[in-house]
Amino acid sequence: MGINWHDFFIVGNPLILGSQIAIALTMVGIVAGVTYLKKWKWLWREWITTVDHKRIGIMYILSGVLMFFRGGVDGLLMKAQTSRPEMQFLDAQHYNEIFTTHGVIMILFAAMPLLIGLMNVVIPLQIGARDVAFPQLNALSFWLFFSGAMLFNISFVIGGSPDAGWTAYFPLAGKEFTPGIGNNYYAVALQIAGIGTLMTGINFIVTILKMRTKGMKLMRMPMFTWTSFVASIIIVASFPIFTVALGLMTFDRIFGTHFFTLSGGGMDMMWANLFWLWGHPEVYIVVLPAFGMFSEVISTFSRKMLFGYKSMVFSVVGIAFLSMLVWVHHFFTMGAGPAVNSVFSITTMMIAIPTGVKMFNWLFTMRKGRIQFTTPMLWALAFIPCFVIGGVTGVMLAMGAADYQYHNTLFLVAHFHYVLIPGVVFAVFAGLYYWWPKMFGHMLNEKLGKLHFWFFVIGFNLTFMPMFFLGLNGAVRRSYTYSVESGYAPLFLLSAIGAVILAIGFGFLCYNIYWSARYADRNISNDPWDARTLEWATASPAPFYNFAKLPEVKSLDAFWYMKKNNEGLSLKDDEIKEIHMPSNSGLPFYMGVVFGITGFFLVFEWKIAALVATVGILAGLIIRSFDYNDGFHVPVDEIKATEKAWRNIDKGVNNHVS
Amino acid sequence: MFKKNYFVPLLALLPVLLLSGCDTNMLVFEPKGPAARDILDLINWSLIFMLLVVVVVFGLFGYIIWKYRATPENKDYEPPEEHGSTKLEFIWTIIPILIVIALTIPTVKTIYKLEKVPAGYEKKDPIVIHVTSADWKWIFSYPDQGIETVNYVNIPAGTPVEFKLTSAGTMQSFWVPELGGQKYTMNKMETQLYLTADKPGEFLGRNTNFNGQGYAGMEFTVEAKSPKDFEKWVKEVKEKAPKLTENKYFELLKPTHLGRETYIGTHLAWVDHAKMNSKTYTNPELYEVHGVKGKIFKEKETDSESTKDMDGNSNGGEHDGH
């Protein structure tokens, strides 16, 4: 309804035309390549139908890196546009679409999958489990996320991207002011991906509560597991709000209800409340697992246990609790009244307290340690000063009255990039370098890693530091241009140069992945970093059943003490028993596809087609409920062979840290 | 890792260098009125504590990673087993709490202060100016003077101004950084902002809340005139400006960019967008993205009237609110 065929492809813009051609060529190239290498069967059996948490994790990470690239290109385009005053590179509409997709993609389709990917790879290993609690649900989560991400990504060539900002404030995001189907993509694609995330949250809560190995009490769990657990709880608490909000948005846009519209008595403010009631906890969903990663990395490379483990746990729980109580600070300027603004100023500032505790605990973990400057450790170290800048400016923003001057300016933009890039992106990089051998059986190159590090960190500071000063000088966010007289030009140019340096840094990561995959040394031990937690107690890469015999935990940093006391490391023949593992399934992939198709019809408001496609979803659910396949047993001989292969090469193995 | 240790102090110095001076040319640091000054006092107060935090953490950070770095000499060094320290952890819990308290008190005071006529100006009666934001322009109505301006607002210097903010369409934000902080303008709602200019002068104002394609151009000027000049200006307008009619007002509200305009009379005579059941004047047909036009979903029986808003035919029937 209202959407014509001639609106289907976006035409008349050379940038987008170029992308369309590039996408078509890439797709043809992939299909031809896989066919030529005769890899279809392998792709289907080993990856698409897999329920192995490590492979699902790797697929999450791969999609996350791709989306990070896409979001990064958006960022570079914006920086190019604002590098000079009154620049004519992008027009207003195109710029609006780009900053909207940049925000959505970076938060939901880059940060989330990268973190959930690492959680998937690491957590079952860290708690000594064979898989997550619901392996097939886990695969479904991934395919729903992927389906949502793809649906969102095709928007810029088919039909038009959303253009109301990643916050999609009403009434702007409604049909009255934003026609076209861009915001339908927002409503539908995020819904599909969000359902996947919600199920991930449930899956990890159950996994961590129910699947821990013998002796792994809650207060013996590694910090990354703790933070992921708490993040999962926040997911379960906040994502349903988003689901409802997006649902109401979909009704408003497609079916003509008036929840948030201007006409018909809608409440535009209700959207802002619902959005941030999800959106603010979302920030902590991405930053808490990152804190966990830094804790692992810092303690490993200082060769010390985490300082103040208990207060770390309490502070994480405290942050989670407060995260649900601060959403109004996103609209202090909405005239909610001084009492409301005061309360939310205080709750927001209180978040600085547990965060400060964590900072000092990390610093004191390093004190009296023996700090090794490996690539993962460099990211963790750079995180501390950068995040402190993000943190203190966050407190400044939290002060309601002062926020009247910062609100919606580039000061705010600089602040949240100073929180999210060190707090999430640095962590993901640290985590990738750190756990890469566990995923692939080889390390990433340290020299390229350091180039990646220096370019990225220097570029990052150069890009976002000037924005604080631009903001204080009155420059606002989301404005596609500015005048010469405003005097913003030099700092905007500096920021654009920084963005290029940052992009070069990312380029080094991509090259590093390629180089290491081809040339890196495969002859490494299962524990190349001399680490402290259980994921390192098994082979690198970990066998699909994770542990031949589930380890027993007696204290924090279990693996460290196993190595120190030389117990529990070896495996006797009679200890090996058959292992029960879940079978692969094509159903999650199928569900992702039908969800994607339904979503696509809904985006284009072809309501009857969408209704017909939902039959496919129902069919999937019915098939699943009649699926009696409850897995298979791995024979003892196979386990023996696998274990011997990695345990007997101990001598002559390259141990990379010493 | 020698480089690292240069990098950190440098990073620490940057904000100190750039935030400290008044010669840095940042509007927020150049208040021209009591509201902006109150906020700046609060910002400066917070900067002291934030710099303290930055200096302490950066100093400790630099010291620790330098002192305890792995070198070939300490290859066999076995770090001590250290679980934590209740005393230390207590200290770094209590200090942030104290800082938060130290920031909270002036914050709350300032929040309340900004809701009132600024201190020192209580004796003067504030003049009331209604601000209506529309796509993509600012409309200022002076009910007492009986005039309306577009994209500029003249105010008497040294007199408190009570801005009553609302929007004819999307959500926008009214900000004059040199005079004070911003507030949102929202349709069918009203927010208040007291701004006062100490002395005559010209200040830049703008919308900070994204509202579509014309957003970048949503600027206006605030000109503070001496009370005498202000009276003179009002008189001049009353003599020369054209009269604002309802039809002319509909034209104004269309999504366009306009220059400065001045009228006799205000639109408050026929609509106050801040009222819960005020009529919706927007016309979605005028918004177009990628060839698709905007629309309002309507109930069947009002369909015939649906596109007539802009032509002046009343159809506020279904917008009566709750």
Side-chain angles (χ1 to χ4, degrees):
Chain A
M1 198 183 119
I3 312 293
N4 301 312
W5 275 104
H6 64 78
D7 305 319
F8 197 77
F9 284 110
I10 300 296
V11 287
N13 184 319
L15 271 176
I16 291 177
L17 184 70
S19 321
Q20 279 161 337
I21 295 169
I23 289 171
L25 288 179
T26 314
M27 267 155 53
V28 170
I30 290 172
V31 172
V34 177
T35 311
Y36 177 75
L37 295 166
K38 298 202 178 75
K39 289 283 189 194
W40 283 113
K41 214 172 174 183
W42 168 82
L43 204 61
W44 176 260
R45 212 175 34 213
E46 300 287 320
W47 292 96
I48 292 174
T49 61
T50 189
V51 293
D52 180 349
H53 66 95
K54 300 176 287 297
R55 296 223 160 151
I56 290 170
I58 288 168
M59 291 194 291
Y60 265 120
I61 290 167
L62 190 67
S63 336
V65 171
L66 276 176
M67 290 294 108
F68 191 76
F69 177 79
R70 156 82 212 268
V73 171
D74 282 346
L76 284 176
L77 288 173
M78 286 192 281
K79 283 286 147 204
Q81 168 60 26
T82 55
S83 61
R84 309 289 311 132
E86 280 149 36
M87 183 88 158
Q88 302 283 330
F89 176 53
L90 302 172
D91 60 22
Q93 177 60 24
H94 201 173
Y95 188 84
N96 298 346
E97 294 182 11
I98 286 176
F99 75 67
T100 303
T101 52
H102 171 78
V104 173
I105 286 180
M106 284 305 200
I107 294 283
L108 285 152
F109 298 131
M112 289 293 274
L114 284 166
L115 289 164
I116 290 177
L118 283 164
M119 279 159 68
N120 255 298
V121 170
V122 176
I123 285 175
L125 289 164
Q126 265 195 345
I127 60 172
R130 293 232 152 88
D131 207 324
V132 293
F134 310 112
Q136 210 183 109
L137 187 73
N138 199 19
L140 179 60
S141 296
F142 170 76
W143 287 112
L144 287 185
F145 146 74
F146 190 74
S147 179
M150 288 301 110
L151 190 60
F152 191 82
N153 266 276
I154 59 168
S155 67
F156 83 108
V157 289
I158 300 175
S161 291
D163 57 356
W166 90 282
T167 52
Y169 271 11
F170 274 86
L172 177 67
K175 266 280 164 72
E176 301 148 295
F177 299 101
T178 311
I181 58 165
N183 282 292
N184 293 359
Y185 272 113
Y186 180 97
V188 176
L190 297 196
Q191 186 71 286
I192 294 173
I195 296 169
T197 308
L198 182 56
M199 294 191 303
T200 300
I202 296 169
N203 212 338
F204 276 98
I205 290 176
V206 179
T207 304
I208 293 169
L209 285 179
K210 289 286 184 188
M211 307 269 290
R212 279 165 292 142
T213 189
K214 201 176 165 195
M216 176 74 80
K217 295 179 183 162
L218 282 177
M219 290 311 273
R220 285 180 189 167
M221 293 198 306
M223 195 43 69
F224 179 55
T225 303
W226 251 116
T227 53
S228 301
F229 176 58
V230 174
S232 302
I233 293 174
I234 310 179
I235 287 178
V236 173
S238 69
F239 263 77
I241 303 168
F242 196 40
T243 305
V244 169
L246 285 173
L248 299 180
M249 181 192 214
T250 311
F251 278 111
D252 265 15
R253 285 195 62 89
I254 300 177
F255 300 106
T257 55
H258 289 289
F259 290 106
F260 310 124
T261 57
L262 201 66
S263 52
M267 295 272 287
D268 46 359
M269 285 293 310
M270 184 67 92
W271 169 266
N273 276 288
L274 289 176
F275 180 86
W276 285 116
L277 198 44
W278 159 80
H280 199 85
E282 166 67 17
V283 177
Y284 296 94
I285 294 169
V286 293
V287 91
L288 285 183
F291 283 173
M293 289 185 208
F294 288 129
S295 302
E296 305 290 339
V297 167
I298 287 174
S299 99
T300 299
F301 296 109
S302 310
R303 297 175 68 84
K304 278 182 72 204
M305 69 170 20
L306 199 60
F307 192 92
Y309 175 85
K310 264 190 203 156
S311 59
M312 285 299 229
V313 172
F314 289 134
S315 63
V316 171
V317 175
I319 291 172
F321 178 72
L322 288 171
S323 78
M324 303 297 292
L325 301 177
V326 300
W327 79 95
V328 172
H329 73 219
H330 292 272
F331 36 91
F332 277 149
T333 61
M334 215 167 269
V340 172
N341 282 359
S342 298
V343 167
F344 283 92
S345 285
I346 296 167
T347 53
T348 306
M349 279 191 262
M350 278 165 68
I351 290 200
I353 300 164
T355 313
V357 170
K358 297 181 82 65
M359 274 294 160
F360 282 98
N361 278 344
W362 284 318
L363 286 174
F364 273 67
T365 303
M366 294 192 285
R367 193 189 64 146
K368 294 188 188 164
R370 188 172 181 279
I371 303 169
Q372 289 154 320
F373 297 97
T374 59
T375 314
M377 187 61 168
L378 285 181
W379 289 110
L381 289 176
F383 155 76
I384 291 176
C386 294
F387 193 80
V388 165
I389 294 174
V392 295
T393 49
V395 174
M396 289 166 73
L397 280 155
M399 300 162 67
D403 180 63
Y404 294 170
Q405 288 285 31
Y406 312 133
H407 191 80
N408 274 346
T409 66
L410 288 179
F411 185 89
L412 163 87
V413 177
H415 153 71
F416 71 71
H417 282 89
Y418 259 93
V419 174
L420 285 172
I421 293 183
V424 179
V425 181
F426 286 14
V428 166
F429 289 151
L432 284 181
Y433 281 94
Y434 183 61
W435 282 304
W436 201 263
K438 199 43 67 186
M439 292 187 269
F440 298 103
H442 64 81
M443 323 265 296
L444 285 171
N445 183 292
E446 283 280 293
K447 215 175 223 161
L448 287 171
K450 277 169 191 162
L451 281 171
H452 169 207
F453 171 81
W454 285 110
F455 273 88
F456 199 93
V457 172
I458 290 169
F460 156 71
N461 280 292
L462 211 53
T463 308
F464 295 103
M465 187 59 80
M467 287 196 192
F468 283 120
F469 306 107
L470 281 170
L472 292 172
N473 197 15
V476 296
R477 73 197 292 203
R478 294 173 169 173
S479 179
Y480 84 111
T481 193
Y482 52 95
S483 62
V484 185
E485 302 86 65
S486 62
Y488 302 151
L491 285 178
F492 264 119
L493 183 64
L494 190 67
S495 176
I497 294 168
V500 173
I501 298 174
L502 184 148
I504 295 171
F506 181 71
F508 276 113
L509 172 70
C510 297
Y511 181 65
N512 198 352
I513 291 174
Y514 164 78
W515 189 93
S516 306
R518 285 200 67 166
Y519 306 114
D521 180 12
R522 258 66 182 172
N523 199 23
I524 56 165
S525 77
N526 60 316
D527 177 27
W529 303 116
D530 199 7
R532 312 176 71 84
T533 41
L534 281 184
E535 71 268 31
W536 303 100
T538 185
S540 296
F544 69 95
Y545 52 77
N546 290 359
F547 300 97
K549 179 184 157 238
L550 294 181
E552 198 183 326
V553 173
K554 290 181 182 135
S555 63
L556 264 175
D557 288 357
F559 182 54
W560 180 257
Y561 292 102
M562 280 160 77
K563 285 191 286 188
K564 231 174 158 180
N565 306 331
N566 203 14
E567 60 182 33
L569 290 171
S570 58
L571 188 65
K572 291 188 193 86
D573 266 6
D574 59 338
E575 286 175 335
I576 298 178
K577 306 235 160 55
E578 277 195 340
I579 295 172
H580 179 247
M581 295 300 289
S583 305
N584 282 7
S585 167
L587 198 59
F589 177 71
Y590 161 80
M591 291 289 276
V593 172
V594 288
F595 259 99
I597 292 170
T598 312
F600 186 79
F601 290 150
L602 208 51
V603 166
F604 276 85
E605 303 178 12
W606 297 332
K607 294 169 197 164
I608 295 170
L611 196 68
V612 172
T614 52
V615 174
I617 298 177
L618 284 175
L621 295 174
I622 292 167
I623 294 168
R624 172 65 182 150
S625 62
F626 287 102
D627 177 9
Y628 297 112
N629 180 346
D630 51 8
F632 66 99
H633 286 88
V634 190
V636 173
D637 289 342
E638 191 188 328
I639 302 168
K640 268 188 194 163
T642 315
E643 293 296 310
K644 273 200 181 119
W646 71 270
R647 283 168 192 272
N648 290 348
I649 54 162
D650 263 0
K651 288 192 180 114
V653 150
N654 296 325
N655 206 345
H656 284 256
V657 170
S658 72
Chain B
M1 282 303 113
F2 193 56
K3 240 165 124 191
K4 177 103 215 160
N5 277 275
Y6 266 117
F7 180 60
V8 172
L10 246 164
L11 218 85
L13 269 176
L14 214 64
V16 184
L17 279 176
L18 287 160
L19 285 178
S20 54
C22 293
D23 52 333
T24 47
N25 197 22
M26 284 183 281
L27 292 183
V28 168
F29 286 88
E30 292 160 13
K32 299 282 157 48
R37 216 166 22 243
D38 286 343
I39 299 178
L40 182 61
D41 287 344
L42 184 66
I43 292 175
N44 283 333
W45 175 249
S46 72
L47 279 176
I48 296 169
F49 287 94
M50 297 302 108
L51 278 175
L52 188 78
V53 171
V54 167
V55 168
V56 168
V57 176
F58 281 33
L60 204 59
F61 172 77
Y63 171 77
I64 286 175
I65 64 166
W66 181 252
K67 175 127 196 246
Y68 299 104
R69 73 195 188 283
T71 56
E73 293 85 63
N74 68 8
K75 205 169 180 327
D76 299 321
Y77 168 70
E78 193 63 43
E81 181 133 332
E82 204 180 28
H83 289 260
S85 154
T86 316
K87 202 174 96 190
L88 282 172
E89 286 162 58
F90 182 74
I91 291 173
W92 58 63
T93 311
I94 212 77
I95 290 176
I97 290 177
L98 293 176
I99 294 179
V100 166
I101 292 171
L103 295 177
T104 297
I105 295 165
T107 301
V108 173
K109 272 190 184 158
T110 314
I111 290 176
Y112 276 90
K113 209 168 165 186
L114 292 174
E115 299 292 320
K116 291 183 301 214
V117 174
Y121 292 97
E122 298 98 333
K123 280 177 211 125
K124 279 203 171 163
D125 278 341
I127 84 159
V128 176
I129 299 175
H130 288 252
V131 179
T132 308
S133 62
D135 288 340
W136 290 283
K137 72 224 23 119
W138 292 94
I139 300 164
F140 300 94
S141 321
Y142 299 70
D144 296 338
Q145 285 74 14
I147 58 177
E148 187 148 308
T149 61
V150 178
N151 285 334
Y152 79 103
V153 56
N154 285 352
I155 56 170
T159 309
V161 185
E162 184 186 355
F163 286 104
K164 289 177 177 286
L165 314 168
T166 189
S167 166
T170 53
M171 191 184 295
Q172 287 148 59
S173 185
F174 177 86
W175 187 34
V176 189
E178 285 157 290
L179 295 186
Q182 61 195 296
K183 278 261 174 84
Y184 277 170
T185 64
M186 294 161 289
N187 189 251
K188 299 190 171 78
M189 287 177 233
E190 186 171 270
T191 44
Q192 269 105 16
L193 193 59
Y194 286 100
L195 295 183
T196 312
D198 294 325
K199 287 184 194 131
E202 217 176 271
F203 314 106
L204 178 78
R206 65 158 305 141
N207 170 21
T208 76
N209 195 57
F210 176 67
N211 65 335
Q213 292 192 32
Y215 167 63
M218 258 191 91
E219 292 181 349
F220 60 93
T221 23
V222 181
E223 203 179 320
K225 293 173 173 294
S226 70
K228 225 166 95 194
D229 285 349
F230 180 75
E231 289 304 326
K232 213 173 105 196
W233 170 75
V234 173
K235 228 176 113 196
E236 258 174 41
V237 169
K238 291 230 155 181
E239 281 163 11
K240 289 180 190 160
K243 205 167 153 48
L244 184 68
T245 61
E246 198 168 354
N247 274 332
K248 180 68 207 160
Y249 184 65
F250 295 143
E251 287 296 311
L252 281 183
L253 288 183
K254 287 182 179 174
T256 50
H257 284 293
L258 297 174
R260 290 175 168 218
E261 294 188 10
T262 316
Y263 297 98
I264 300 172
T266 73
H267 73 268
L268 300 168
W270 52 84
V271 62
D272 181 355
H273 299 283
K275 291 268 157 42
M276 192 60 214
N277 53 0
S278 61
K279 212 159 73 179
T280 304
Y281 279 86
T282 53
N283 186 349
E285 294 266 316
L286 299 174
Y287 295 84
E288 192 175 306
V289 177
H290 296 307
V292 183
K293 282 179 187 281
K295 63 175 172 188
I296 307 183
F297 292 96
K298 286 184 178 298
E299 286 156 40
K300 283 258 153 41
E301 50 275 22
T302 56
D303 248 11
S304 54
E305 289 180 83
S306 62
T307 56
K308 288 184 183 164
D309 289 64
M310 278 304 191
D311 306 329
N313 293 340
S314 153
N315 77 326
E318 80 274 37
H319 306 311
D320 282 343
H322 309 265

